[in-house]
Amino acid sequence: MTTPYYSGIITNYVCTAECRHCMFGSSPSCPKEYITTEESENIASILEEAGTPSVHIGGGEPFMNFPALLSLIDALNRHGIGVDYIETNAFWAKDEDIVKNRLWELTKRGVTTVMVSSDPFHIEYVPLSRVLTLIKLLSEEGFDYFIWQERYLRKLIHLDHNRTYSKEELEKILGKNYITYTAREYGLGMNGRALAISYDIYPLKSVDELLKSPPCHNILSAQHCHFDLYGNAVPSGCPGLCANSRDYLCGDISTDKYPVMSRLVCGRIKSLFEYAHNLGFVPDPQGYPTKCSFCYAMRSFLSKNNPSDDLSPKCFYENIDKNLTERI
């Protein structure tokens, strides 16, 4: 069994925001489902068996269901798994007393670090006042914290702290190309909802050219992956592609159970194309900006026409399809 050293746990896919760069396509439209006590215990047990020392916790937005978040931390503690940090967009930092009480609950469980998101994508959904309130209280309560990414907070700090900003407003403030500029500066992996941004950054490549792409070495690189509330492992940088957590860590990726992942692992994107094409997939004749966007198009087709255990969750494909359609 491979040991995940730099991995995270996805407590839920639903989120209060629908950020343009979100790797997992999280949004308010995702099912309001959260990691259960049973699944928390299951993944903590598997991670202990695999020798994992610690993980980070994210979503979606993990603070949408605070009891579920605490239950997960308790399970990790029982199995000797540390928490590197918890990710949040700070939407919940409206009342200082509530924030202090939640931070106290985290402190009791040994959590010491929180990652707070703040950038031109998040400010469409979360006012800066909440980010600043959380940062202030984290400092006062003795937490370590870091802002992802802090340079954007410095750029946005002069705006009205008590409101969100639309794309149109941000274009006037930050420039017409702020989305692509931020994506480049962010160093985004152009997957998930950022697939739409990749069309504005990269020239289209033909399918023939993309079929010659090198293999995706990170698919079975379990050292850095995510584990979600449904008991699945998600390869680094490949949202919407998954396998049962134990199968994944043991490298048990059979063609029958995981027809998409196994083909990407063994036969590169060409093998997936042959499989999808035989089932009726027709590529865009104009091509795609990246190998990931080509791969996503095939997986989206398969999720509708020949679903399999390695294409999940359903809300990921629904949200990214919607995002790509709105781009046009």
Side-chain angles (χ1 to χ4, degrees):
M1 182 180 287
T2 303
T3 301
Y5 285 106
Y6 312 104
S7 297
I9 296 178
I10 301 168
T11 59
N12 48 286
Y13 286 105
V14 64
C15 187
T16 58
E18 196 169 359
C19 297
R20 298 176 185 277
H21 68 311
C22 181
M23 175 67 74
F24 297 109
S26 299
S27 82
S29 68
C30 287
K32 292 180 173 59
E33 297 171 349
Y34 306 89
I35 195 165
T36 63
T37 300
E38 293 74 19
E39 182 53 39
S40 293
E41 184 67 25
N42 176 58
I43 189 57
S45 176
I46 291 173
L47 291 173
E48 181 184 23
E49 183 181 347
T52 299
S54 60
V55 294
H56 62 270
I57 299 174
E61 170 52 57
F63 282 86
M64 287 184 74
N65 188 326
F66 192 60
L69 174 60
L70 295 182
S71 179
L72 169 61
I73 297 168
D74 288 339
L76 293 170
N77 282 337
R78 284 193 295 272
H79 290 272
I81 312 295
V83 176
D84 296 323
Y85 56 89
I86 303 174
E87 301 172 358
T88 183
N89 65 23
F91 85 96
W92 52 281
K94 306 174 188 178
D95 181 281
E96 289 200 4
D97 288 337
I98 291 175
V99 175
K100 288 179 181 178
N101 287 336
R102 289 187 169 188
L103 294 183
W104 173 240
E105 292 294 336
L106 296 179
T107 298
K108 288 194 299 184
R109 290 165 172 80
V111 176
T112 60
T113 307
V114 174
M115 187 198 90
V116 186
S117 297
S118 180
D119 54 51
F121 300 133
H122 280 91
I123 204 172
E124 290 188 58
Y125 301 95
V126 182
L128 276 179
S129 60
R130 300 186 191 181
V131 173
L132 296 173
T133 294
L134 181 55
I135 291 170
K136 178 177 79 77
L137 294 175
L138 284 167
S139 180
E140 290 178 359
E141 298 299 319
F143 275 75
D144 290 327
Y145 67 88
F146 59 101
I147 305 163
W148 194 265
Q149 292 186 356
E150 188 167 1
R151 64 178 177 272
Y152 296 117
L153 183 58
R154 293 195 296 268
K155 291 181 179 180
L156 301 171
I157 198 70
H158 65 281
L159 302 181
D160 185 340
H161 295 178
N162 297 310
R163 50 165 293 203
T164 57
Y165 284 81
S166 68
K167 173 189 173 184
E168 292 70 28
E169 288 176 311
L170 290 170
E171 284 179 337
K172 293 177 181 177
I173 296 165
L174 300 174
K176 197 73 174 176
N177 297 321
Y178 85 91
I179 293 175
T180 55
Y181 176 79
T182 301
R184 286 182 184 276
E185 198 175 44
Y186 219 115
L188 285 180
M190 291 295 172
N191 217 323
R193 199 171 278 120
L195 285 171
I197 302 175
S198 69
Y199 279 84
D200 296 322
I201 293 179
Y202 305 113
L204 298 180
K205 296 181 180 179
S206 69
V207 168
D208 287 342
E209 185 178 358
L210 291 167
L211 288 174
K212 298 174 184 176
S213 302
C216 304
H217 295 294
N218 63 331
I219 291 179
L220 288 185
S221 179
Q223 289 190 354
H224 184 190
C225 60
H226 287 81
F227 302 92
D228 75 6
L229 65 155
Y230 302 123
N232 292 322
V234 182
S236 176
C238 296
L241 189 67
C242 65
N244 170 271
S245 297
R246 185 172 292 278
D247 288 349
Y248 185 76
L249 293 180
C250 292
D252 186 13
I253 308 298
S254 67
T255 303
D256 289 341
K257 189 173 183 180
Y258 305 115
V260 176
M261 185 180 288
S262 62
R263 282 173 169 81
L264 287 171
V265 169
C266 299
R268 304 193 298 184
I269 200 165
K270 183 177 181 181
S271 179
L272 179 60
F273 175 66
E274 291 169 351
Y275 173 67
H277 186 64
N278 287 336
L279 290 167
F281 172 74
V282 178
D284 188 333
Q286 295 185 29
Y288 302 88
T290 65
K291 179 175 65 172
C292 290
S293 56
F294 179 35
C295 180
Y296 175 80
M298 291 186 283
R299 289 191 285 125
S300 175
F301 169 84
L302 292 169
S303 71
K304 300 181 187 73
N305 297 281
N306 199 56
S308 53
D309 287 346
D310 48 3
L311 297 175
S312 176
K314 183 179 179 182
C315 68
F316 171 79
Y317 291 96
E318 291 173 344
N319 284 336
I320 305 307
D321 284 348
K322 173 177 174 285
N323 194 234
L324 290 170
T325 299
E326 289 175 348
R327 179 192 63 82
I328 302 170

